[in-house]
C-alpha cells in the first residue's frame, strides 16, 4: 500500500515542478502544442520550460530539443501534446529520461473504444514499469494558483486564470474545469489547484483527494465525476478528507446504468446514480445536482465560517424572495425566525414604525442602512440564530450605498451570513462589492437556501465523522458458519436462489427476527404444524423455480382452521400445477401470521463499483413503483442505518399515521446492520432482500426473504 506521504511526494511535481517539457511543441499559434507552451511561458510560471519537437531552432524564444532525452537538465514534468498512437513511444523516452510525472493531453484512448483502449493499457504498463504517474489521457491537465503553472491550451486571452485561493477542483471534464476557473475569477475567488484528469488511466480521484488533503492552500474541494471505477477506494479517501475539508461533488449519469436481473426487489431498485449519491453522502461528501449549485455551494463554504446549528434569521426590505426562502427552508426542516422574545421586543422598540419585526424582519421599502444594522446586530446576538440571511432590494432608494459596509461589519459576530439580491447594473455592483468583502450573494432565494443548506450539511458531516459508530452485536460465528453451509449446498446443487426458509435461517443466525415457520410435505403435515404454531397461520409455496410466490397463487394469509389449511394447501398445489407446470414442488411453508405493523423493505446488493451495499425503503407491493429507497455501503453501522431510515420520503409513515403504531426505528436499524454483515461475510450472496419486514412499536419481523447467489 502506498502511504499518504508517498502519494503527496509522487504527485507534488505535477503542481510544483522546477522544469517542464512540452513534447509535441509547435511553432504555429493555435496548435495545441503551441498554446500549452505559451501558457507555461506567459501566465507567470517561473520554472524552466523546454519545447520538444522534431524541428530545430527556437519556439517562443526557447531552444527546441528533438527528444526529451536530449534535454541536458533534469525534467520534473512532461506534458505530452502528441497524438495517441505516438504516446507509448514518447512515454518510454520520458521513463528513460527519469521524468516521473506526465500529463497526457490527447484523446483517442479508452474513450474511443476498441484498439484505442489497448493503447491506454499500454501507456499504463509503461508508466508502471518506470514508476511514472500519469494524469489523463484526454484532459487539459493541471493549474496551480500559487506558482501560476498551467498546462492549458486555452489561451490567456480567451480564458482568465483566477488568483490563488481556497478552492480546488478535480474534474473528469476539462470543460467544467475551465468554467470553474473563470467563474471563480469573476467572483473574485481564488483557486489553489485545478486538475482535469480525463480518463484517469493512472492518477485518480482518490490519489488527488489525498494530495489536496495535504495541500495547505486548498480549503474546499469541488468535484465533477462521470464514471467512478473503484468506488470503495474513492469513498475511503473522501471520508478521510471530509472531516477536515468539505468535498462538494456533482455526478453525471442520473439515468440508469446497465440492466440488472431483477431477481430481487433490491436488485431492481439499485440504480447506479442513487448508489453513488448514497455512498458519497455516507463518506461525508456534499452532493449537488448541477454546476451552478456546485459553484454556489463552494463559494459559501470558502467564504464563511460553519454555523453551530440549523436556525436561520432573516431580514429584508422586500417580501417576495424571503417568503420563498422560508418555504424552502421549511421543506428542508430548517427553522426560520425562532427568535427570543427579547429580540423581537427590542426591535419593536428600536425600529421605526414602518418596520415589521416578525419571522422575517421586514423593514419594508423605507429601510435604511441603519435599520439593517440594528436588525442584523439584534439577530446575530440572539442565541437562537445560527445563520443570518439578509435580503436586499438594492434598487430601493432609501437604502444607502454604504449598506455593503454595514453588512460586512456583521461578520465580526462569527456567524455565517448569506445574502440574496438581484437586479441590473447597480445591484450587480453592490453584490460584487459585498462578495469582495467576504459575504456571498445569490440572485435567487432558491440558490441562497441551497448554499445555506450545504453549510448545515457540512456542519453535520463534521459532527458525524467525529463521532464513533456502534454495531449491532447480534451476529454469532455459528450463524456465520451455518450460513456458509447453506450457501455452499445450494451452489453445489446448481441453484441461483435460496428457498424462503433457508434464507430466513441465515437471517436468524444473524439475529434477525422471523415468524415461526415449518416446512410441510403433505396436507396432513400442514394441518399438524398449523396446530403446533397456533392459528391464524400463513401458507406459502416452496419451489426453487418460483421467484414471486404471490404471482403463482402461492400465498394464503390469515388461515384460521384446520379445514382452511387443507383447502389452502390444495389450492396452492393446484395453482402451481396450473401457473408453473414445470416448477419443482418442495412443499408448503406453514408460517405464523404476524399481525400488525408497517411493511418496509431491507435489502443487500453487491454493486459493481462499491461492493456490498444495503438498501432500505417502505415495502410492500408498490416498492418498485415508488422507488422511495436509501442506500449505504456495507458494513452499515446501526448509527448509519438510523440516518438512512430518516432519508426516505416515506419516513413520516414510520412515525405513526392513520392508526398505525409508531415503528420501532432502532429495530429496523438493527436489521439493516445485520443484513450488511451478511453481505460482507458471504461473497457468494449477490442479492438479499427482506420484503416485507413488518415493524410495529416493539419489533421488526422479516415476513419474506430472498437470497440470490452468484452465478458460476
Ligand atoms: N407471516 C406473515 N404474516 C403476515 N403477513 C404475511 C406473512 N407472510 C407474508 N405476508 C404478507 O403477504 C405478502 C406476500 O408474501 P411474500 O412476500 O412472502 O410473497 P411473495 O409473492 O414472494 O412476495 P414478493 O412480492 O416479494 O415476490 C407480504 O407482502 C405480506 O404482506
Ligand atoms: Mg415478498
Amino acid at each position: 500500500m502506498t502511504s499518504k506521504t508517498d502519494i503527496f511526494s509522487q504527485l507534488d511535481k505535477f503542481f510544483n515542478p522546477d522544469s517542464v517539457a512540452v513534447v509535441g511543441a509547435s511553432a504555429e499559434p493555435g496548435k495545441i502544442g503551441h498554446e500549452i507552451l505559451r501558457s507555461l511561458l506567459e501566465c507567470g510560471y517561473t520554472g524552466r520550460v523546454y519545447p520538444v519537437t522534431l524541428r530545430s531552432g527556437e519556439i517562443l524564444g526557447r531552444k527546441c530539443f528533438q527528444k526529451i532525452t536530449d534535454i541536458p537538465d533534469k525534467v520534473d514534468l512532461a506534458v505530452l501534446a502528441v497524438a495517441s498512437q505516438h504516446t507509448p513511444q514518447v512515454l518510454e523516452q520520458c521513463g528513460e529520461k527519469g521524468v516521473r510525472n506526465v500529463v497526457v493531453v490527447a484523446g483517442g484512448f479508452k474513450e474511443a473504444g476498441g484498439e484505442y483502449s489497448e493503447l491506454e493499457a499500454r501507456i499504463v504498463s509503461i508508466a508502471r514499469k518506470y514508476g511514472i504517474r500519469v494524469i489523463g489521457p484526454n484532459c487539459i491537465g493541471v493549474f496551480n494558483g500559487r506558482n501560476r503553472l498551467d498546462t492549458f491550451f486555452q489561451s490567456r486571452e480567451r480564458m482568465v486564470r483566477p488568483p490563488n485561493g481556497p478552492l480546488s477542483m478535480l474534474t473528469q471534464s476539462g470543460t467544467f474545469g475551465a468554467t470553474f476557473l473563470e467563474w471563480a475569477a469573476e467572483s473574485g475567488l481564488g483557486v489553489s489547484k485545478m486538475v482535469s484528469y480525463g480518463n484517469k488511466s493512472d492518477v485518480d480521484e482518490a490519489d488527488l483527494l489525498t494530495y489536496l488533503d495535504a495541500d495547505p492552500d486548498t480549503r474546499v474541494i469541488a468535484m465533477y465525476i462521470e464514471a467512478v471505477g473503484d468506488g470503495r477506494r474513492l469513498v475511503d479517501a473522501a471520508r478521510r478528507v471530509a472531516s477536515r475539508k468539505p468535498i462538494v461533488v456533482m455526478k453525471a449519469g442520473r439515468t440508469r446504468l446497465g440492466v440488472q436481473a431483477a431477481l430481487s426487489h433490491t436488485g431492481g431498485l439499485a440504480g447506479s446514480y442513487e448508489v453513488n449519491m448514497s455512498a458519497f453522502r455516507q463518506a461525508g461528501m456534499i452532493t449537488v445536482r448541477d454546476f451552478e449549485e456546485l459553484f454556489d455551494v463552494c463559494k459559501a463554504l470558502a467564504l464563511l465560517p460553519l454555523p453551530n446549528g440549523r436556525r436561520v434569521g432573516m431580514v429584508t426590505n422586500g417580501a417576495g424572495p424571503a417568503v420563498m426562502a422560508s418555504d424552502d427552508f421549511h421543506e428542508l426542516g430548517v427553522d426560520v425566525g425562532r427568535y427570543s422574545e427579547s429580540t423581537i421586543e427590542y426591535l419593536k422598540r428600536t425600529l421605526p414604525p414602518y418596520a415589521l419585526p416578525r419571522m422575517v424582519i421586514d423593514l419594508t421599502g423605507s429601510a435604511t442602512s441603519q435599520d439593517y444594522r440594528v436588525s442584523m446586530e439584534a439577530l446575530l446576538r440572539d442565541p437562537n440564530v445560527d445563520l443570518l440571511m439578509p435580503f436586499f432590494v438594492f434598487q430601493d432608494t432609501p437604502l444607502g450605498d454604504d449598506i455593503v459596509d454595514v453588512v460586512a461589519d456583521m461578520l465580526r459576530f462569527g456567524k455565517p451570513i448569506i445574502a440574496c439580491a438581484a437586479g441590473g447594473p447597480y445591484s450587480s455592483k453592490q453584490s460584487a462589492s459585498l462578495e469582495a468583502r467576504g459575504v456571498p450573494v445569490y440572485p435567487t432565494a432558491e440558490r441562497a437556501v441551497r448554499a445555506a443548506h450545504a453549510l448545515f450539511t457540512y456542519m453535520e458531516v463534521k459532527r458525524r465523522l467525529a463521532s464513533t459508530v456502534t454495531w449491532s452485536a447480534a451476529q454469532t460465528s455459528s450463524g456465520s458458519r451455518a450460513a456458509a453451509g447453506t450457501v455452499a449446498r445450494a451452489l453445489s446443487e446448481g441453484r441461483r436462489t435460496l428457498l424462503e426458509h433457508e434464507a430466513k435461517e441465515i437471517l436468524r443466525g444473524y439475529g434477525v427476527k422471523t415468524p415461526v415457520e415449518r416446512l410441510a410435505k403433505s396436507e396432513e403435515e400442514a394441518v399438524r404444524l398449523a396446530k403446533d404454531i397456533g392459528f391464524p397461520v400463513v401458507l406459502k409455496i416452496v419451489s426453487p423455480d418460483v421467484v414471486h410466490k404471490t404471482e403463482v397463487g402461492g400465498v394464503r394469509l390469515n388461515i384460521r382452521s384446520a379445514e382452511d389449511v387443507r383447502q389452502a394447501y390444495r389450492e396452492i398445489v393446484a395453482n402451481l400445477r396450473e401457473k408453473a407446470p414445470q416448477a419443482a414442488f418442495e412443499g408448503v411453508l406453514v408460517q405464523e401470521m404476524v399481525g400488525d405493523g408497517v411493511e418496509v423493505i431491507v435489502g443487500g446488493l453487491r454493486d459493481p463499483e462499491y461492493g456490498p451495499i444495503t438498501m432500505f425503503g417502505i415495502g410492500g407491493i408498490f416498492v418498485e413503483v415508488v422507488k422511495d429507497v436509501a442506500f449505504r455501503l456495507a458494513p452499515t453501522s446501526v448509527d448509519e442505518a438510523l440516518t438512512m431510515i430518516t432519508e426516505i420520503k416515506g419516513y413520516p409513515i414510520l412515525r405513526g399515521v392513520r392508526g398505525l403504531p409508531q415503528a420501532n426505528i432502532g429495530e429496523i436499524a438493527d436489521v439493516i446492520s445485520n443484513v450488511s454483515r451478511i453481505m460482507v461475510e458471504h461473497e457468494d450472496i449477490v442479492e438479499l432482500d427482506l420484503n416485507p419486514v413488518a415493524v410495529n412499536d416493539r419489533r421488526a419481523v422479516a415476513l419474506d426473504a430472498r437470497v440470490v447467489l452468484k452465478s458460476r
Side-chain angles (χ1 to χ4, degrees), residues 326-339:
S326 306
D327 271 353
D328 288 351
F329 275 130
H330 185 74
E331 273 175 14
L332 295 166
V334 173
D335 284 338
V336 176
R338 305 254 160 157
Y339 316 120

Side-chain angles (χ1 to χ4, degrees), residues 265 549 691-692 704 706:
H265 299 281
K549 299 171 290 273
N691 185 30
D704 184 20
R706 181 165 304 130

Side-chain angles (χ1 to χ4, degrees), residues 293-329:
E293 189 181 355
L294 179 79
F295 192 79
D296 283 352
V297 164
C298 286
K299 184 162 82 175
L301 286 163
L303 290 175
L304 298 171
L306 286 181
N308 283 318
R310 291 164 62 92
R311 294 157 307 176
V312 175
M314 288 186 186
V315 50
T316 187
N317 60 343
V323 177
M324 291 292 285
S326 306
D327 271 353
D328 288 351
F329 275 130

Side-chain angles (χ1 to χ4, degrees), residues 399-512:
L399 191 62
D401 291 329
D402 65 335
I403 181 67
V404 291
D405 295 314
V406 173
V407 180
D409 180 44
M410 297 298 139
L411 289 171
R412 68 188 145 89
F413 286 91
K415 293 182 181 180
I417 302 175
I418 289 181
C420 181
Y426 176 76
S427 295
S428 304
K429 190 188 91 209
Q430 289 294 76
S431 294
S433 59
L434 200 47
E435 289 205 335
R437 287 163 172 78
V439 179
V441 187
Y442 299 94
T444 65
E446 305 80 69
R447 288 172 64 179
V449 167
R450 280 198 292 265
H453 192 245
L455 294 184
F456 296 138
T457 304
Y458 189 56
M459 165 193 84
E460 276 152 15
V461 162
K462 286 195 91 152
R463 287 180 187 172
R464 173 160 61 80
L465 294 179
S467 77
T468 48
V469 293
T470 54
W471 287 90
S472 164
Q475 168 263 10
T476 64
S477 57
S478 70
S480 177
R481 273 197 305 278
T486 309
V487 168
R489 193 173 60 239
L491 284 171
S492 73
E493 290 168 10
R495 279 152 57 190
R496 269 213 72 193
T497 54
L498 296 185
L499 298 168
E500 177 178 338
H501 59 283
E502 293 172 324
K504 282 184 177 158
E505 221 172 271
I506 293 182
L507 290 171
R508 280 192 295 273
Y510 280 78
V512 177

Side-chain angles (χ1 to χ4, degrees), residues 598 600 616-618 628 641-657 662-666 668:
V598 187
V600 300
F616 168 74
I618 297 292
D628 183 17
L642 285 169
T643 351
M644 176 180 181
I645 294 166
T646 64
E647 274 173 16
I648 62 163
K649 289 193 206 75
Y651 176 60
I653 297 172
L654 302 175
R655 303 218 301 239
V657 282
Q662 183 164 354
N664 189 321
I665 309 282
I668 307 175

